[in-house]
Amino acid sequence: MKESPSPARRPGIRAAMFVDFDNVYTGLLALDPLAAKRFAEDPKHWADALSAGGSAESSRRFLIRNCYLNPVVYSKYRTYWTRAGFRVIDCPSLTQRGKSSTDINLVLDAMDALSGGAGIDEFFIASADADFTSLIQRFRAADKMTTVIAAGAVAFAYREMADSVVESHDFVAILNGTTGEPIRAVASVQPPQVQPAAKSKPKTMSKTASAAVREVCDFVRAAPGPVVGAMVAHRALTADPSLKTDWGGYGKFGTWVAQIGNSVEYSPSRGGWVWDAQRFSSDDLPADADVEPGIEERVTRVTDVPALSAAQFRQLFQAMAARLREQPVNRNELSRLVRDDCVTAGQPVSRGAVNFVIQGLGYVNYQLSENATAEGLAAAWTEDVEELCRVALMEFDDAEKAALRRWASGGYLEV
């Protein structure tokens, strides 16, 4: 008897998502309560964004959508997730210390999916818990793509093991609808055999955008060397403030400036640099050896703390305190204003660096209010840097500890 042919495999990347609800929700609460609410009550929004793709072959099909939560604390959110097509697994506390059974349930289900016959191509783990590092290692050993969606500090080994990490500030921006890029572009995940969907680009460049391009070209060509990206972004936004929305459809400054052409070159190295290719090359960028060696270099290499000088950190804290005293602003606007103020003061920092600091302040529960001071911001940020070093298992003697505090606090903490 002739066997009937097996059904053809449907196009699209076959994916599985495992959400550690408690970890992500509490992490988001520390960063942005509104984003936490949207995460908990509208999972369909960002789950659909993950599924989206440019074509049938590059879109994702989440064959598995699992959410693990503590029913005693978060049962009120269950219906939102079941309605969004998630399977909700109750993980109550099993110990007097409140430790839930999420980790073991998630790992068991993920291993079942890995060994099953569904042929999963991508695994998404929504959790900043480094306990899942070994699980990510298993995925990689099986030649599967992996993405971590974080809402908290991510341990270095965990970050490096994953193929991609959706950072906390990017996830917050997506939840709040303040980014022009779909979440698939942030994650940058595609199996080797699938070409990423082409990014949407504007058909024509507006007059104001052309003015921004002219300003950047003139500025870079007159510069005596490669220019810090934050300064170039500031000049572009001065010429065309509308670019702050989504950089003309390119989503990020780096993508926008890289497509200008006209001998303008860009590198994301060390916070981002722009230069005139007719006079300079990537060889003219500051090398690691040009950066003053010491505790700061060790910390930035291991923890992803922005590679800023003590003077830049000090200016950042002063600018942030001044802006918070003026009027309440949302996180996205605050990072832009602080970045611009630092550039104006002659201590340029990237917007990504400012966002990283704001994120760190949230982790130590520092309130960004009109009562914030530069000294208070410096102390709270230093506490977060010290915790990142502890998680990374970095060890320092007393002199190094003092140097770390002086550097991270911008000189506000001398002991």
Side-chain angles (χ1 to χ4, degrees):
M1 182 176 178
K2 184 177 181 181
E3 294 183 1
S4 59
S6 59
R9 174 166 165 161
R10 294 174 59 183
I13 302 165
R14 301 159 77 89
M17 185 193 302
F18 303 89
V19 180
D20 182 347
F21 182 95
D22 301 27
N23 181 279
V24 177
Y25 183 71
T26 55
L28 288 172
L29 273 179
L31 296 173
D32 189 320
L34 180 57
K37 178 179 174 65
R38 288 173 173 164
F39 163 78
E41 297 182 356
D42 190 13
K44 186 177 187 300
H45 166 69
W46 57 269
D48 285 351
L50 273 172
S51 300
S55 66
E57 288 74 21
S58 61
S59 63
R60 294 185 180 90
R61 295 181 57 225
F62 280 100
L63 306 187
I64 298 172
R65 291 188 182 190
N66 285 1
C67 172
Y68 304 82
L69 59 75
N70 186 332
V72 177
V73 183
Y74 300 116
S75 61
K76 64 180 180 179
Y77 297 119
R78 169 188 287 276
T79 55
Y80 297 109
W81 290 75
T82 55
R83 187 173 61 190
F86 280 78
R87 171 179 170 243
V88 178
I89 296 91
D90 288 337
C91 299
S93 174
L94 299 178
T95 69
Q96 291 180 341
R97 293 178 178 268
K99 177 67 173 177
S100 76
S101 57
T102 290
D103 291 8
I104 186 63
N105 281 311
L106 192 155
V107 169
L108 288 173
D109 288 343
M111 290 303 297
D112 284 345
L114 180 63
S115 60
I120 301 297
D121 302 312
E122 290 184 280
F123 286 84
F124 287 75
I125 304 296
S127 176
D129 191 340
D131 287 350
F132 295 124
T133 302
S134 296
L135 180 62
I136 299 294
Q137 289 176 327
R138 288 297 187 93
F139 293 152
R140 288 184 66 89
D143 195 23
K144 304 298 182 181
M145 299 296 292
T146 58
T147 295
V148 170
I149 301 175
V154 182
F156 188 74
Y158 188 34
R159 176 189 299 275
E160 289 301 298
M161 187 55 60
D163 291 297
S164 299
V165 177
V166 180
E167 301 288 356
S168 300
H169 56 270
D170 288 322
F171 196 37
V172 167
I174 291 159
L175 290 165
N176 288 338
T178 56
T179 178
E181 287 189 291
I183 197 169
R184 58 187 166 84
V186 175
S188 301
V189 177
Q190 296 289 351
Q193 72 274 18
V194 179
Q195 295 297 322
K199 291 186 177 180
S200 174
K201 296 185 179 181
K203 294 181 180 180
T204 59
M205 188 172 291
S206 66
K207 293 182 179 179
T208 52
S210 296
V213 169
R214 287 196 299 272
E215 176 66 23
V216 167
C217 290
D218 293 343
F219 180 53
V220 172
R221 288 168 183 164
V227 186
V228 176
M231 296 185 70
V232 179
H234 180 71
R235 299 293 288 261
L237 291 172
T238 300
D240 180 13
S242 70
L243 287 175
K244 69 181 182 181
T245 303
D246 66 347
W247 286 99
Y250 291 93
K252 294 182 179 180
F253 165 72
T255 307
W256 177 82
V257 74
Q259 57 79 40
I260 287 179
N262 297 322
S263 298
V264 173
E265 296 287 341
Y266 169 77
S267 170
S269 174
R270 302 193 66 80
W273 290 85
V274 184
W275 66 91
D276 177 9
Q278 294 186 350
R279 297 181 298 139
F280 307 105
S281 71
S282 58
D283 293 336
D284 297 300
L285 298 180
D288 288 343
D290 296 332
V291 181
E292 182 181 348
I295 193 69
E296 56 268 39
E297 182 178 356
R298 290 171 55 193
V299 172
T300 55
R301 284 176 180 269
V302 174
T303 66
D304 288 338
V305 167
L308 304 181
S309 66
Q312 287 174 308
F313 275 128
R314 190 180 188 90
Q315 183 59 52
L316 189 156
F317 299 138
Q318 292 173 348
M320 189 176 297
R323 285 295 180 180
L324 289 170
R325 284 195 301 270
E326 288 181 3
Q327 61 181 11
V329 292
N330 62 42
R331 172 185 166 144
N332 192 53
E333 185 71 3
L334 179 63
S335 65
R336 181 185 66 81
L337 293 172
V338 171
R339 186 272 313 276
D340 291 349
D341 291 344
C342 289
V343 171
T344 302
Q347 293 290 351
V349 300
S350 70
R351 193 169 180 180
V354 180
N355 270 322
F356 195 99
V357 172
I358 294 175
Q359 175 179 294
L361 294 169
Y363 294 150
V364 295
N365 298 317
Y366 188 88
Q367 298 300 313
L368 298 178
S369 67
E370 67 275 7
N371 298 321
T373 64
E375 294 84 352
L377 290 164
W381 161 248
T382 302
E383 179 184 346
D384 181 65
V385 173
E386 291 174 328
E387 175 62 14
L388 289 174
C389 293
R390 186 194 66 79
V391 171
L393 302 179
M394 299 187 71
E395 297 182 356
F396 309 115
D397 59 29
D398 290 343
E400 290 172 328
K401 290 178 182 178
L404 171 64
R405 291 172 65 81
R406 284 194 299 271
W407 165 66
S409 69
Y412 280 112
L413 302 179
E414 292 297 334
V415 293

